[in-house]
Amino acid sequence: MKEQLRSMHFVDNYLVNPTNPIVANLIGAGGTGSQVLSALARINHSLLGLDHPGLFVRVFDDDKVTNANLGRQLFAASEIGMSKAVALINRINRFFGTNWKAVDSKYNKLINAENYAATITISCVDTVSARFEICEMLQKIHKRNITEAHTPIYWMDYGNSQSTGQVVLSTIKNVKQPASKKYKPISRLPLITEEFKNLFDRTVEDNEPSCSLAEALTKQDLFINSALANLGASLLWSMFREGMIANRGFFLNLKDFRAQPLPVS
């Protein structure tokens, strides 16, 4: 009986051997996005130490810091009233010496997306509609055939409820795979908007802002965002360091301390 090969996605070579910093767009700077940005800064610092050009990150968010954000999100009392994107980017740039950019706006059709094209898009948004809009914009940018350094290749989406969540990695285009006798190379990772469309269509959303930290914690537990952020960042780190991934995400249940990988297939 012929042995079945393990499915594996070989990361696009531009991430592994780039000539310039990899451009990444982080969409959403709230509970999860603020944690993801810190993880990206650590990844960048480590990549630079390994003679990789590192990352150039933009953060998109039109929201302001409120008192309800303190504690669960990475903001200080002195930042209340500030743009979330600006507050986070200023802090990261001062701490790590980066020159990353804040965009005090939503990532939607009202902006000229081609001016903000990126190799990696990381979405930490609250709504289904935002995910579909992001997907549509990424596909349009890809069809324009802009320069390699700004062609959208990967989209990593974060989502969560009170104590559960998931991270799913998708490809915007088919990624060229090497020949392999050991693995079954997978060139395309399905878009989350296609793979889970039926689930999204049944989703009832509650996007009302919280008035206090206590109210915010009834919607999202204190550590669900940081747990998702670090596990997702670990997947991204594996892409840079190992150049191939057998899993393209995971489902997390923090209440039961269970994580279920999402295999490449």
Side-chain angles (χ1 to χ4, degrees):
M1 184 176 179
K2 188 176 181 179
E3 182 181 0
Q4 188 172 3
L5 299 180
R6 185 184 187 187
S7 294
M8 187 72 65
H9 175 73
F10 291 86
V11 177
D12 190 284
N13 189 61
Y14 185 73
L15 269 70
V16 181
N17 296 301
T19 54
N20 296 292
I22 300 295
V23 180
N25 284 340
L26 174 60
I27 304 171
T32 302
S34 60
Q35 302 277 352
V36 170
L37 182 63
S38 294
L40 290 175
R42 294 169 62 193
I43 289 174
N44 175 69
H45 186 79
S46 300
L47 288 174
L48 292 174
L50 296 169
D51 294 326
H52 185 287
L55 306 174
F56 172 76
V57 179
R58 304 187 195 96
V59 178
F60 293 78
D61 200 307
D62 68 337
D63 203 5
K64 308 294 182 185
V65 180
T66 68
N67 189 64
N69 299 142
L70 307 187
R72 193 178 63 81
Q73 302 182 18
L74 293 183
F75 297 106
S78 60
E79 293 170 329
I80 291 177
M82 288 183 62
S83 157
K84 287 184 176 180
V86 171
L88 289 174
I89 284 294
N90 284 347
R91 190 189 314 156
I92 290 294
N93 284 344
R94 287 196 299 268
F95 192 93
F96 287 95
T98 49
N99 188 32
W100 293 357
K101 302 299 181 183
V103 183
D104 187 13
S105 170
K106 289 183 178 180
Y107 185 90
N108 58 25
K109 295 176 183 177
L110 296 180
I111 67 170
N112 187 345
E114 290 187 29
N115 291 340
Y116 299 105
T119 302
I120 303 172
T121 297
I122 303 172
S123 54
C124 305
V125 295
D126 297 328
T127 66
V128 170
S129 59
R131 289 180 172 88
F132 277 99
E133 190 165 12
I134 290 168
C135 181
E136 183 181 345
M137 293 171 68
L138 292 177
Q139 290 176 316
K140 282 185 177 180
I141 296 171
H142 168 61
K143 290 177 181 177
R144 298 290 176 90
N145 293 318
I146 56 180
T147 62
E148 181 185 33
H150 298 93
T151 298
I153 302 176
Y154 292 102
W155 174 24
M156 179 176 283
D157 180 73
Y158 286 77
N160 69 279
S161 57
Q162 185 179 21
S163 58
T164 63
Q166 73 286 328
V167 173
V168 180
L169 180 70
S170 306
T171 55
I172 307 302
K173 66 171 187 175
N174 288 338
V175 175
K176 185 178 180 181
Q177 301 289 289
S180 175
K181 294 182 179 179
K182 186 176 181 180
Y183 300 108
K184 177 184 176 183
I186 303 296
S187 63
R188 181 178 183 272
L189 308 179
L191 295 168
I192 187 173
T193 49
E194 296 174 355
E195 188 174 19
F196 300 104
K197 185 178 186 302
N198 291 336
L199 179 62
F200 283 154
D201 289 342
R202 298 195 303 268
T203 299
V204 178
E205 299 173 332
D206 176 15
N207 301 315
E208 291 299 318
S210 302
C211 297
S212 66
L213 176 58
E215 183 181 347
L217 290 173
T218 64
K219 299 179 181 179
Q220 296 186 40
D221 197 41
L222 183 59
F223 290 106
I224 184 63
N225 304 110
S226 55
L228 283 170
N230 285 310
L231 285 172
S234 180
L235 173 60
L236 191 60
W237 176 245
S238 295
M239 293 170 66
F240 285 114
R241 291 295 293 136
E242 299 175 15
M244 60 184 189
I245 52 173
N247 297 299
R248 59 185 183 90
F250 59 89
F251 297 92
L252 177 68
N253 186 320
L254 196 58
K255 188 174 182 179
D256 294 338
F257 299 101
R258 288 187 293 110
Q260 178 65 42
L262 182 60
V264 168
S265 60

